Amino acid sequence: MKLEKVAEALRERVKGAVETDHPLARFTTYRLGGPAALYVEPHDTGDLEVLGDVLRTHGLSGGRLPVLPLGRGSNMVISDAGWPGLVVRLGDSFARIEPWSPDASEHGARVGAAVSMPQVANWAARRGLSGFEWAISIPGSMGGGVKMNAGAHGGEVGDVLVSATVLDLGSFTIRELEAAALDLSYRHSNLTPTDLVLEARLLFSPEDAAVVKARMEDYRKHRAATQPGALQNAGSVFKNPPGDSAGRLVEAAGLKGFSVGEARVSELHANFFIAGDGSRAQDVFDLVHAVKQRVLDGSGVELVPEIRFIGAFEQAATDQ
Ligand SMILES: Cc1cc2nc3c(=O)[nH]c(=O)nc-3n(C[C@H](O)[C@H](O)[C@H](O)COP(=O)(O)OP(=O)(O)OC[C@H]3O[C@@H](n4cnc5c(N)ncnc54)[C@H](O)[C@@H]3O)c2cc1C
């Protein structure tokens, strides 16, 4: 009831969409999960200021309402019960890329957090700028890419990130953070669950545009041949343990094609788990836990999930 009032107050003042009990599945590559109690799509920073104002007025700032930044939903499984608090998904004015010249080199870009990573890769390649080719097949947003320090083919966001603008959704204060302050490592940053990346500033290296494009195309073809595409999965389920590959360990445990409910380990790549028709988010959760347990039993290696489970799940009953 209270959130309805918050939504009404927001609708009077913001340009972007404001909804209650809003379905989220279509915003994720898994296409799973329940609704957001409150969903806001701020059009610009003005809308974010209003959001902070309204939450304060209703006594919901400072962490009293759980918040979730949502990018392109390509690294998450949202629970069947949905998200009990606020989901913020950045709108149009955060979907722009502009040239950026920190050192008069003109080799940089200011990238809004809602821009997709393949868009950044294409933008850079067209200008003969190298450093983002690896991202051509990663269906995430720039904001999610910074949060996860996304990477592939030996490259990662941290290689080209100079700084980022980050809004804290608890205090509604903005910080400009140098890349070094983000403690980036393999699929890790120190951004907290209330940190919302608004913009990233990237610096590339100049290279012949044809060479950059050819490299990007090689990566794209390799992906198409070895991975099942973006439908009904969220990329690598587990992080690779040091010196090994999670896919190899899952395959060695004989788990290609293994299923729980309607979710199954991909036959093409054992570190991709596919949600079949009728699958629940809980099926994916249970599958991840069952596979983790079997790999641990068989090899002694404890795999760490890279995908994020959002909201409430029942503890897996399928571990044997
Ligand atoms: C087919 C496929 C292939 C993939 N291949 C790779 C790969 O090669 N390498 C790789 O690293 N990843 C890969 N991924 C995973 C995924 O694309 C990346 O992790 C990506 O960075 C997630 O971005 P997103 O916008 O989808 O984030 P989401 O899934 O929306 O969110 C992921 C996390 O980031 C947070 N977040 C999202 N937006 C913001 C923001 N603006 N500010 C702060 N936090 C935010 C969320 O709260 C959540 O904690 C793949 C996924 C798929 C489906």
Side-chain angles (χ1 to χ4, degrees), residues 51-67:
L51 177 61
D53 243 28
V54 169
L55 291 184
R56 265 189 296 274
T57 309
H58 287 79
L60 291 174
S61 60
R64 276 178 287 274
L65 183 67
V67 293

Side-chain angles (χ1 to χ4, degrees), residues 61-244:
S61 60
R64 276 178 287 274
L65 183 67
V67 293
L68 173 70
L70 174 61
R72 294 193 163 226
S74 64
N75 201 49
M76 55 167 66
V77 184
I78 294 175
S79 110
D80 297 305
W83 180 251
L86 166 68
V87 167
V88 178
R89 186 164 173 268
L90 293 171
D92 286 353
S93 68
F94 300 96
R96 297 183 189 137
I97 314 184
E98 288 167 14
W100 179 57
S101 311
D103 52 5
S105 67
E106 299 185 0
H107 299 152
R110 294 165 63 109
V111 183
V115 175
S116 80
M117 290 199 283
Q119 267 176 280
V120 182
N122 279 313
W123 185 95
R126 275 198 303 276
R127 288 164 175 78
L129 297 173
S130 173
F132 225 71
E133 300 90 302
W134 52 266
I136 189 61
S137 299
I138 302 185
S141 67
M142 190 68 240
V146 173
K147 164 81 177 184
M148 298 303 304
N149 189 22
H153 307 285
E156 59 183 25
V157 167
D159 296 342
V160 290
L161 183 71
V162 176
S163 58
T165 306
V166 178
L167 172 79
D168 182 276
L169 288 168
S171 61
F172 280 82
T173 48
I174 286 191
R175 289 165 295 157
E176 300 293 340
L177 297 174
E178 299 294 312
L182 293 173
D183 190 27
L184 299 177
S185 58
Y186 173 55
R187 305 298 165 267
H188 167 85
S189 72
N190 64 6
L191 291 169
T192 70
T194 61
D195 281 334
L196 176 68
V197 177
L198 302 180
E199 182 184 278
R201 278 150 320 257
L202 311 179
L203 195 56
F204 307 109
S205 317
E207 197 178 350
D208 186 278
V211 175
V212 178
K213 281 183 191 162
R215 190 180 301 124
M216 206 167 70
E217 187 53 18
D218 280 352
Y219 291 158
R220 201 191 55 72
K221 281 190 185 141
H222 176 77
R223 278 299 172 115
T226 57
Q227 295 182 5
L231 202 60
Q232 304 279 79
N233 72 80
S236 296
V237 169
F238 297 108
K239 296 186 186 191
N240 289 322
D244 207 338

Side-chain angles (χ1 to χ4, degrees), residues 4-51:
E4 271 302 340
K5 285 207 158 45
V6 174
E8 273 170 35
L10 283 167
R11 283 189 197 109
E12 283 170 15
R13 294 173 60 196
V14 301
K15 298 180 270 304
V18 177
E19 306 287 347
T20 52
D21 203 24
H22 193 55
L24 294 175
R26 73 183 118 120
F27 299 130
T28 71
T29 52
Y30 258 121
R31 301 282 190 271
L32 294 175
L38 178 62
Y39 172 89
V40 178
E41 209 171 283
H43 174 75
D44 54 19
T45 46
D47 277 4
L48 285 166
E49 276 169 32
V50 173
L51 177 61

Side-chain angles (χ1 to χ4, degrees), residues 255 257-265 287:
L255 295 173
F258 175 66
S259 64
V260 172
E262 297 300 324
R264 68 175 198 284
V265 177
L287 179 64

